[in-house]
């Protein structure tokens, strides 16, 4: 028997609860005047108030009178907050931007302001530059600025309205604006984003006529457009033209070339781009390596991509970068290539690379699905031995797997490490571990974690107690579940629906149905209303004990109490009637189920069809099967068809049985050949057995 105190050596290492009294004392030293000033500034900086003014008819005058004096002090951050509050109404965002732009370019061109405006125009747009909107802006003494026009054009591109963006571009002089490099770039980028690369080229060729010289952004937009289509030779021509114009390609240019080569099925040339970057003195970014690795997987397929990338990593020094390794591990793990991922981890380790927590967690998640658990444990232990720090999520994954394999000593070791490294940062983190232990039935260890939790300064909450009650109840240990309930009430918590349902479930598991019903009857006295899950626990228990009439009584009570039953509420009584060979009652209950608007599930249909076929009431079974087939939510399977086929065969109706077999094959033709043949053979074997 395990010792009741499983974690005795951990408590002295825990940090002491933070003493908040000194902090509170320091905060209380604020003077009354400073509090008054803070209240006034808070009122003036209320973005919700500003947004409400923007919705009024005389919005410009109202917001100007209340916020003009304080806007310069509040700065662009206030405009960003107001734009986020008004995001559901993009027209209000346009009004706010027009008003704020009057106070200087640092508002109009602030990146955070433009990002917030662009997100609102895209998510809730489009905002059309109508004559009414132009008149409204001009009526306030403002103008449609280049910055606002570019923001609108960008949103139109993201929404696929590049044609409209070009129409507005042509009519710019009517707004008092003339084409500039900034506007050209916005319209070209919008056209590329919307897939209209040919229109982007026309605008590009038109730029010199308007006195605009393409810059790096212009060329990058066009390179992005052709690379996305895999027309990489044209992208290379643009890069040469770019260099000939004295414009140096940047990391974005080269990253798009990498993507273009991969889209064109030329991954070898994509690696060559990295060598070119090294020659030109342009350092690849994390996005460059991600683009390359993902592109190679997309171009070559998983197995060939891994072999190719592994060879390149060995032979190309430019590929010796942490981001390349991390992205490759991510792709291998997401494609369930656990052996290859572990092999790469060992290669990285031999070269002195230590994985980060996030990447290692992705590898472990894949390895747990595909490899023997002992190999995974060895991988984790090696990682820790070399100085790696597991994240909380990885520990949770490992603990769940260890609990499944009943390796309790290893669970204790990992829990010790979690406490040592102070990974328990909140009640929620403790509750997650307690939940894992409770579901695995390790209630002694779960209670030890509660003790550690309390002694480290965290108080259990209602979720903690409900988890413990549920764990004890599933084990049938009602005595300890009641003890936790008593502890819960002594600490001032009120039991909720989860508390009662868990306790009732535990009483039902130990066949204490009278006590379970008494607990159910106590719920209203505590102000807790039973839900459908509570009723279902009792209905299932009564049916299992042979008290179907009591289950039906509860079902009727549920409906009278205004609680909508679900399929689980009806399935247990229907199954009980079928086992008792009271098919008419089961059928009547099935009809009532439909009348109350409860959709039967596959379990309901299969149970009733089998029972009818066992009684050779095949016509009624066929009617229910037809109703099941007409339901778009449930697909009939071999377990639905074979009782009908078997009954028809037993009755000598071989032709009709054959028709049903063919019907099943036709309905399952969408399955893969192996699944299709397996399902058909199962029906055939089961029919022969009948």
């Amino acid at each position: 028997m395990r010792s009741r105190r499983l974690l005795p050596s951990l408590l002295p290492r825990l940090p002491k609860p933070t003493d908040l009294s000194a902090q509170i004392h320091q905060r209380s030293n604020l003077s009354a005047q400073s509090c008054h000033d803070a209240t006034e500034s808070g009122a003036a900086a209320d973005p919700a108030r500003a947004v409400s003014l923007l919705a009024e008819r005389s919005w410009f005058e109202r917001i100007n009178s209340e916020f003009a004096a304080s806007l310069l002090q509040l700065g662009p951050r206030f405009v960003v907050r107001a734009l986020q509050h008004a995001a559901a109404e993009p027209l209000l965002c346009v009004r706010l931007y027009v008003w704020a732009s009057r106070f200087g370019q640092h508002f109009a061109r602030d990146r955070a302001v433009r990002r917030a405006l662009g997100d609102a125009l895209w998510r809730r747009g489009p905002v059309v530059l109508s004559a009414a909107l132009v008149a409204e802006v001009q009526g306030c003494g403002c103008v449609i600025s280049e910055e606002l026009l570019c923001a609108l054009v960008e949103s139109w591109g993201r929404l696929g309205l590049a044609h409209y963006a070009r129409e507005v571009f042509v009519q710019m002089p009517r707004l008092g604006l003339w084409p500039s490099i900034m506007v050209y770039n916005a319209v070209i980028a919008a056209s590329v984003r919307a897939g209209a690369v040919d229109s982007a080229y026309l605008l590009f060729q038109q730029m010199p006529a308007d006195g605009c010289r393409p810059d790096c952004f212009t060329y990058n937009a066009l390179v992005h457009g052709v690379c996305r289509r895999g027309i990489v030779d044209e992208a290379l021509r643009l890069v040469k033209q770019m260099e000939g114009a004295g414009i140096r390609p940047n990391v974005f240019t080269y990253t798009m070339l990498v993507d273009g080569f991969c889209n064109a099925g030329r991954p070898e040339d994509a690696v060559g781009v990295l060598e070119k970057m090294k020659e030109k003195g342009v350092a690849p970014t994390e996005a460059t390596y991600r683009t390359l690795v993902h592109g190679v997987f997309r171009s070559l397929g998983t197995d060939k991509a891994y072999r190719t990338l592994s060879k390149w990593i060995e032979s190309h020094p430019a590929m010796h970068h942490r981001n390349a390794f991390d992205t490759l591990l991510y792709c291998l793990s997401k494609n369930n290539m656990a052996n290859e991922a572990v092999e790469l981890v060992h290669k990285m380790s031999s070269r002195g690379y230590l994985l980060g927590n996030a990447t290692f967690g992705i590898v472990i998640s894949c390895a747990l699905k595909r490899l023997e658990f002992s190999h995974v444990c060895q991988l984790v232990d090696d990682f820790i031995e070399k100085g790696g720090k597991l994240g909380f999520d990885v520990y949770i994954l490992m603990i769940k797997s260890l609990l499944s394999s009943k390796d309790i000593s290893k669970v204790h070791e990992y829990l010790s490490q979690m406490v040592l490294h102070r990974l328990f940062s909140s009640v929620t983190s403790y509750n997650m571990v307690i939940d894992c232990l409770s579901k695995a039935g390790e209630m002694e260890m779960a209670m030890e974690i509660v003790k550690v939790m309390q002694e480290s300064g965290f108080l259990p909450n209602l979720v903690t107690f409900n988890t413990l009650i549920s764990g004890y109840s599933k084990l049938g240990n009602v005595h300890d579940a009641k003890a936790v309930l008593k502890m819960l009430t002594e600490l001032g918590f009120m039991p909720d629906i989860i508390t009662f349902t868990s306790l009732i479930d535990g009483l039902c598991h130990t066949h204490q149905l009278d006590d379970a019903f008494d607990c159910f009857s106590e719920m209203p006295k505590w102000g807790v209303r039973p839900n459908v899950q509570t009723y279902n626990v009792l209905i299932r228990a009564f049916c299992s004990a042979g008290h179907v009439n009591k289950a039906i009584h509860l079902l009727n009570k549920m409906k009278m109490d205004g609680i909508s039953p679900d399929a689980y509420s009806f399935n247990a009584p229907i199954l009980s009637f079928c086992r008792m060979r009271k098919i008419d009652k089961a059928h009547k209950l099935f009809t009532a189920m439909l009348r109350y608007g409860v959709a039967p599930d596959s379990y309901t249909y299969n149970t009733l069809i089998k029972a009818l076929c066992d009684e050779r009431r095949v016509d009624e079974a066929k009617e229910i099967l037809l109703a099941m087939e007409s339901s778009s939510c449930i697909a009939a399977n071999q377990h639905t068809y074979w009782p009908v086929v078997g009954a028809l065969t037993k009755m000598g109706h071989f032709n009709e049985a054959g028709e049903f077999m063919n019907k099943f094959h036709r309905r399952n033709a969408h399955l893969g050949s192996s699944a299709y043949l397996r399902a058909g053979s199962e029906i055939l074997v089961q029919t022969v057995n009948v």
Side-chain angles (χ1 to χ4, degrees):
M1 183 179 291
R2 293 191 302 272
S3 170
R4 291 202 56 88
R5 186 153 185 83
L6 297 171
L7 308 173
S9 61
L10 302 179
L11 300 180
R13 300 173 183 163
L14 292 168
K16 298 295 183 183
T18 306
D19 185 7
L20 297 179
S21 59
Q23 297 179 30
I24 295 170
H25 178 70
Q26 290 172 2
R27 293 172 190 165
S28 66
N29 289 333
L30 292 170
S31 65
Q33 181 61 40
S34 64
C35 291
H36 176 71
D37 293 342
T39 303
E40 286 190 348
S41 64
D46 183 10
R49 172 63 179 166
V51 172
S52 67
L53 296 176
L54 291 167
E56 297 184 9
R57 185 182 296 274
S58 56
W59 63 270
F60 189 82
E61 292 81 6
R62 293 296 306 278
I63 195 170
N64 217 32
S65 63
E66 289 197 28
F67 287 91
S70 58
L71 183 62
L72 291 175
Q73 181 183 356
L74 295 172
R77 290 181 62 184
F78 170 76
V79 180
V80 172
R81 290 168 56 206
L83 286 169
Q84 291 168 346
H85 271 76
E89 296 290 341
L91 181 58
L92 301 186
C93 294
V94 172
R95 289 176 176 177
L96 177 64
Y97 185 80
V98 167
W99 172 75
S101 298
R102 295 174 64 250
F103 294 86
Q105 290 294 317
H106 66 290
F107 285 103
R109 296 189 176 180
D110 183 84
R111 287 188 178 182
V113 171
R114 289 174 64 83
R115 190 183 305 114
L117 175 65
D119 286 344
L121 294 176
W122 169 56
R123 295 183 188 280
R124 296 287 184 163
V127 172
V128 179
L129 197 59
S130 62
L133 177 58
V134 174
E136 179 183 337
V137 171
Q138 293 175 345
C140 298
C142 302
V143 295
I144 302 293
S145 63
E146 265 193 5
E147 291 80 11
L148 176 59
L149 180 61
C150 289
L152 289 167
V153 167
E154 181 187 354
S155 72
W156 297 333
R158 294 174 77 179
L159 293 168
L161 302 175
H163 180 70
Y164 180 70
R166 293 191 297 275
E167 287 182 357
V168 172
F169 175 77
V170 172
Q171 301 181 48
M172 279 180 62
R174 299 177 62 180
L175 300 172
L177 297 172
W178 297 96
S180 67
I181 182 64
M182 185 167 74
V183 178
Y184 261 113
N185 283 346
V187 182
I188 288 173
S191 300
V192 168
R193 186 184 285 270
V197 181
D198 50 349
S199 299
Y201 264 86
L202 290 175
L203 289 165
F204 172 70
Q205 293 168 357
Q206 183 182 326
M207 291 178 73
D210 285 325
C212 297
R213 183 173 179 267
D215 60 9
C216 189
F217 186 94
T218 319
Y219 281 104
N220 279 352
L222 293 171
V223 169
H224 174 59
V226 294
C227 283
R228 195 164 61 176
R229 295 186 174 189
I231 314 173
V232 71
D233 290 329
E234 173 60 15
L236 292 172
R237 189 193 69 79
L238 283 169
V239 172
K240 286 183 180 179
Q241 182 179 340
M242 183 179 182
E243 291 174 326
I247 301 170
R248 187 184 179 194
N250 59 18
V251 67
F252 300 106
T253 318
Y254 289 114
T255 300
M256 287 182 286
L257 282 176
V258 169
D259 187 54
F261 278 121
C262 291
N263 290 336
R266 296 163 58 182
E268 297 84 358
D269 293 327
V271 178
V273 174
L274 293 183
E275 302 292 347
K276 185 75 171 176
M277 293 175 73
K278 188 176 180 181
E279 292 175 13
K280 297 290 186 179
V282 180
T285 64
E286 183 180 346
T288 312
Y289 290 110
R290 282 205 312 266
T291 301
L292 175 63
V293 175
H294 284 291
V296 172
F297 267 82
R298 189 172 63 246
S299 175
L300 299 180
T302 55
D303 293 330
K304 189 174 180 182
Y306 173 64
R307 292 195 301 270
T308 304
L309 286 167
S310 296
K311 184 173 67 175
W312 289 343
I313 287 174
E314 295 292 337
S315 58
H316 289 271
M319 289 286 291
H320 293 179
H321 195 279
R322 176 179 296 279
N323 290 326
F325 285 120
D326 286 349
T327 308
L328 181 51
L329 281 171
Y330 173 85
C331 289
L332 292 172
S333 300
K334 289 302 178 183
N335 286 285
N336 293 320
M337 301 172 70
N339 287 312
E340 293 82 355
V342 172
E343 180 185 1
L344 183 59
V345 168
H346 292 319
K347 284 183 181 179
M348 292 176 65
S349 179
S350 65
R351 294 184 178 184
Y353 289 105
L354 183 63
L355 288 180
N357 291 341
T359 306
F360 189 72
I362 293 170
V363 173
I364 290 299
S365 179
C366 171
L368 285 170
K369 299 175 190 173
R370 298 285 172 174
L371 303 181
E372 289 186 13
F373 187 59
S374 59
H375 294 167
V376 181
C377 287
Q378 185 62 49
L379 186 65
V380 170
D381 291 342
D382 289 345
F383 179 75
I384 295 172
E385 186 179 336
K386 290 175 181 176
K389 303 281 188 183
L390 294 183
F392 182 84
D393 292 339
V394 180
Y395 273 115
I396 290 293
L397 284 174
M398 292 300 297
I399 286 171
K400 285 181 178 179
S401 299
L402 288 165
L403 289 169
S404 299
S405 60
K406 298 298 181 184
D407 190 348
I408 305 305
S409 62
K410 197 71 174 176
V411 172
H412 177 250
E413 179 184 333
Y414 284 156
L415 286 174
S416 302
Q417 292 175 11
M418 292 177 74
V419 175
L420 179 63
H421 297 308
R422 300 183 178 181
L423 295 180
F424 291 105
S425 58
S426 64
V427 176
T428 302
S429 57
Y430 278 104
N431 284 346
M432 290 177 68
V433 173
I434 292 169
D435 182 61
C436 293
L437 296 169
S438 297
K439 286 178 178 175
E442 296 295 331
M443 297 309 301
E444 288 186 24
M445 193 175 289
M447 290 302 297
E448 284 298 326
I449 293 295
V450 173
K451 292 176 186 176
V452 173
M453 175 183 182
Q454 291 173 312
E455 295 180 34
S456 60
F458 293 98
L459 293 178
N461 59 16
L462 187 58
V463 174
T464 315
F465 290 116
N466 282 345
T467 304
L468 294 170
I469 290 172
S470 177
Y472 280 123
S473 297
K474 286 175 181 175
L475 292 175
N477 188 346
V478 180
H479 178 270
D480 285 341
K482 289 180 178 179
V484 175
L485 177 63
K486 182 181 178 183
M487 191 190 314
L488 178 154
T489 55
E490 287 175 349
L491 289 175
F493 291 104
M494 291 288 290
D496 62 3
I497 184 64
I498 298 174
T499 317
F500 278 105
T501 303
S502 299
L503 196 56
I504 290 169
D505 189 40
L507 290 166
C508 290
H509 269 93
T510 55
H511 310 293
Q512 302 179 53
L513 296 185
D514 291 337
D515 289 342
F517 196 78
D518 289 342
C519 185
F520 172 80
S521 303
E522 283 281 322
M523 292 176 69
K525 298 177 183 178
W526 290 85
V528 179
R529 186 169 180 255
N531 61 14
V532 64
Q533 284 79 21
T534 317
Y535 276 100
N536 287 350
V537 167
L538 280 169
I539 288 171
R540 185 181 66 244
F542 280 130
C543 288
S544 298
H547 305 310
V548 189
N549 291 333
K550 289 184 178 180
I552 297 297
H553 173 74
L554 268 179
L555 191 58
N556 292 329
K557 184 180 186 311
M558 184 194 316
K559 291 180 286 188
M560 287 189 295
D561 289 346
I563 297 171
S564 300
D566 59 16
Y568 295 101
S569 311
F570 286 92
N571 282 349
I574 287 174
L575 177 62
S576 294
F577 281 132
C578 289
R579 284 176 174 171
M580 297 162 64
R581 306 189 72 171
K582 297 181 178 180
I583 310 301
D584 291 332
K585 288 190 175 183
H587 200 289
K588 184 178 179 181
L589 195 55
F590 175 77
T591 305
M593 182 181 185
L594 298 175
R595 189 169 61 249
Y596 283 112
V598 179
D601 58 15
S602 58
Y603 186 87
T604 321
Y605 283 113
N606 291 344
T607 299
L608 200 52
I609 288 171
K610 183 180 183 305
L612 288 167
C613 289
D614 288 344
E615 296 294 317
R616 298 198 179 188
R617 296 164 64 171
V618 183
D619 290 337
E620 296 174 63
K622 289 191 291 185
E623 288 179 9
I624 294 176
L625 178 57
L626 183 63
M628 183 180 185
E629 291 174 338
S630 64
S631 172
S632 59
C633 301
I634 304 171
N637 53 31
Q638 65 267 29
H639 300 294
T640 312
Y641 276 88
W642 83 261
V644 179
V645 174
L648 290 170
T649 304
K650 198 170 184 178
M651 295 165 63
H653 300 167
F654 301 109
N655 290 335
E656 192 174 357
E659 289 175 6
F660 262 87
M661 286 282 289
N662 292 332
K663 185 178 181 181
F664 171 77
H665 291 324
R666 287 194 300 271
R667 289 183 62 87
N668 291 273
H670 64 280
L671 296 174
S673 58
S674 60
Y676 173 79
L677 293 172
R678 185 169 61 251
S681 64
E682 285 183 14
I683 289 185
L684 185 60
V685 170
Q686 290 160 343
T687 304
V688 171
N689 289 339
V690 172

